[in-house]
Amino acid sequence: MLDIDPVDDLICLRAENGAGEGPVLPPVARASLYRKARIEDLLAGLARENEDFIYARGANPTVRAFEISLAKLERAEAAKAFASGMGAISATLVALVKSGDHILFVNNIYGPTIELAERLADFGVSHSRCFSPDAAAITQALRPETRIVYLESPGSTLFRVAPIAAIADLAHRAGALLVIDNTVATPLLQKPLTLGADLVIHSCSKYLGGHSDLVGGAVAGRSDLIERIFYKGYMLLGAAMAPDVAFLLLRGLMTLPARLRRHHDDALALAAKLGAHSRVKRVFHPAFCDADAALFAAQMRGHSGLFSVELDVDSFGALLARVNRLKRFGKAVSWGGVESLVMVGHKSDPGDAPTRIPRGLMRLSVGLEGVDALWADLERALA
Ligand SMILES: *Cc1c(COP(=O)(O)O)cnc(C)c1O
């Protein structure tokens, strides 16, 4: 079912990294600064620091190679890489909003992104949330002062799919930009810019790196927007990606199609088995959500190795006890690496309070250990 086109996507990567002669990956440029032949050249370079190599808080050749690769994968004019996903998100918001503006968050959003929005309230930037991905609800939630509609699709934790093209249209009519965090889908499974989004954000710490050995972020989109983010966010906040991280990402991208295929297949198999298990109440995976089926098929080429299940437990403690019985799934934050991981939906017992995230929710990141070993582990933990 997974319909990624590794030829299409990998060829565009290889073209950037030298398909003809020379090394298959660019060297790691560990310099913090660049000498120019004449002082005039330095001054000219300083005037366009987003393009020239002057100082590594601005641009770096290895980081640039990764940015070009990611831009190609997202069908973007340009991309900027950051020290982390949150670095990319904070620079983007700081660059694009001012006091009096409003940000509308649609669908389930990564927690620290909302914490950042709460911080921005102290600077006169308001925000509100629309958990429903339906056009009618979003229309209601838009305000005259909305400048950014910020979307995750599939959303964090519950993986609901939102109609990107329709939301882009609504945002544009309201005079707002559509920014989408595409971390869960990766550029291989969904290309939001081709559906009308203005900017795409990634935490590169997940599938793009793919081996749980780096933290990085990126934003991609039109050149004028990326330039604005460069000067008004990135250069001032200073979350620059290290060249060694860019190198690991270039290497990670080469195996992304192969890894995703396996993550996708094995997660789908495990989600189906879990869905049929008597101890599982519900599976949260786009392929198992009837309401999202048509949109999922039209907008995405498949889903990754990340999904959640609601266990039939009568307390938060009972959920933790089940999770503790898992041996192959590491108890850890983050996801997208070769090792399977498990996390719960709440950091502490939500008690009887009504919550959007079910109390018994367990999120799985399916690694590359194989379905048999992982299913044996899950079956034993649930028994
Ligand atoms: C992890 C994550 C981020 C933050 O990325 P970092 O690299 O950890 O800063 C942002 N959005 C989503 C959806 C994520 O999963």
Side-chain angles (χ1 to χ4, degrees), residues 231-266:
Y231 285 111
K232 298 205 177 291
Y234 168 81
M235 282 298 273
L236 307 178
L237 295 174
M241 176 178 282
D244 293 88
V245 169
F247 179 85
L248 287 175
L249 279 163
L250 285 163
R251 192 169 70 164
L253 286 183
M254 293 299 162
T255 57
L256 181 62
R259 284 185 285 112
L260 263 190
R261 241 170 235 291
R262 185 64 186 273
H263 287 302
H264 165 273
D265 291 353
D266 290 7

Side-chain angles (χ1 to χ4, degrees), residues 102-106 109 126-130 137-143 146-151 177-179:
H102 170 256
I103 305 169
L104 176 62
F105 291 96
V106 177
I109 301 286
S126 65
H127 72 276
S128 58
R129 307 190 64 178
C130 179
I138 295 164
T139 305
Q140 282 278 310
L142 282 164
R143 297 182 191 169
T146 305
R147 287 294 155 266
I148 291 179
V149 175
Y150 189 104
L151 174 69
L177 294 170
L178 175 61
V179 178

Side-chain angles (χ1 to χ4, degrees), residues 84-87 89 110 113 152 156 181 183-184 203-206 215-217 334-335:
S84 67
M86 282 310 296
I89 294 166
Y110 180 69
T113 303
E152 282 188 30
S156 281
D181 183 332
T183 304
V184 169
S203 165
C204 307
S205 324
K206 315 291 167 55
V215 173
S334 195
W335 42 268

Side-chain angles (χ1 to χ4, degrees), residues 81-327:
F82 293 79
S84 67
M86 282 310 296
I89 294 166
S90 54
T92 299
L93 295 186
V94 163
L96 299 181
V97 293
K98 60 181 185 334
S99 173
D101 291 347
H102 170 256
I103 305 169
L104 176 62
F105 291 96
V106 177
N107 213 355
N108 218 50
I109 301 286
Y110 180 69
T113 303
I114 298 298
E115 286 173 42
L116 172 64
E118 284 161 3
R119 184 76 194 96
L120 288 177
D122 292 340
F123 297 87
V125 177
S126 65
H127 72 276
S128 58
R129 307 190 64 178
C130 179
F131 293 106
S132 163
D134 296 333
I138 295 164
T139 305
Q140 282 278 310
L142 282 164
R143 297 182 191 169
E145 65 274 22
T146 305
R147 287 294 155 266
I148 291 179
V149 175
Y150 189 104
L151 174 69
E152 282 188 30
S153 179
S156 281
T157 314
L158 300 180
F159 310 109
R160 287 295 309 272
V161 181
I164 296 174
I167 296 173
D169 197 41
L170 288 174
H172 295 155
R173 280 165 199 265
L177 294 170
L178 175 61
V179 178
I180 166 161
D181 183 332
N182 202 29
T183 304
V184 169
T186 81
L188 294 191
L189 300 181
Q190 174 171 276
K191 298 190 193 302
L193 299 177
T194 68
L195 298 169
D198 298 285
L199 288 165
V200 166
I201 287 178
H202 281 285
S203 165
C204 307
S205 324
K206 315 291 167 55
Y207 286 118
L208 299 188
H211 296 77
S212 307
D213 54 6
L214 65 88
V215 173
V219 55
R222 279 200 329 261
S223 306
D224 63 312
L225 288 175
I226 298 301
E227 187 173 329
R228 191 160 146 206
I229 293 166
F230 182 93
Y231 285 111
K232 298 205 177 291
Y234 168 81
M235 282 298 273
L236 307 178
L237 295 174
M241 176 178 282
D244 293 88
V245 169
F247 179 85
L248 287 175
L249 279 163
L250 285 163
R251 192 169 70 164
L253 286 183
M254 293 299 162
T255 57
L256 181 62
R259 284 185 285 112
L260 263 190
R261 241 170 235 291
R262 185 64 186 273
H263 287 302
H264 165 273
D265 291 353
D266 290 7
L268 210 55
L270 288 171
K273 283 172 177 288
L274 283 166
H277 196 285
S278 61
R279 284 271 155 59
V280 174
K281 272 183 158 166
R282 216 175 137 187
V283 175
F284 296 88
H285 181 298
F288 292 80
C289 176
D290 292 341
D292 289 351
L295 194 53
F296 175 51
Q299 186 170 286
M300 299 186 70
R301 290 160 144 188
H303 186 58
S304 63
L306 192 67
F307 67 98
S308 299
V309 292
E310 181 186 1
L311 298 187
D312 188 7
V313 286
D314 51 20
S315 69
F316 190 62
L319 170 70
L320 302 189
R322 297 271 172 211
V323 169
N324 274 330
R325 289 168 68 170
L326 287 167
K327 294 210 159 48

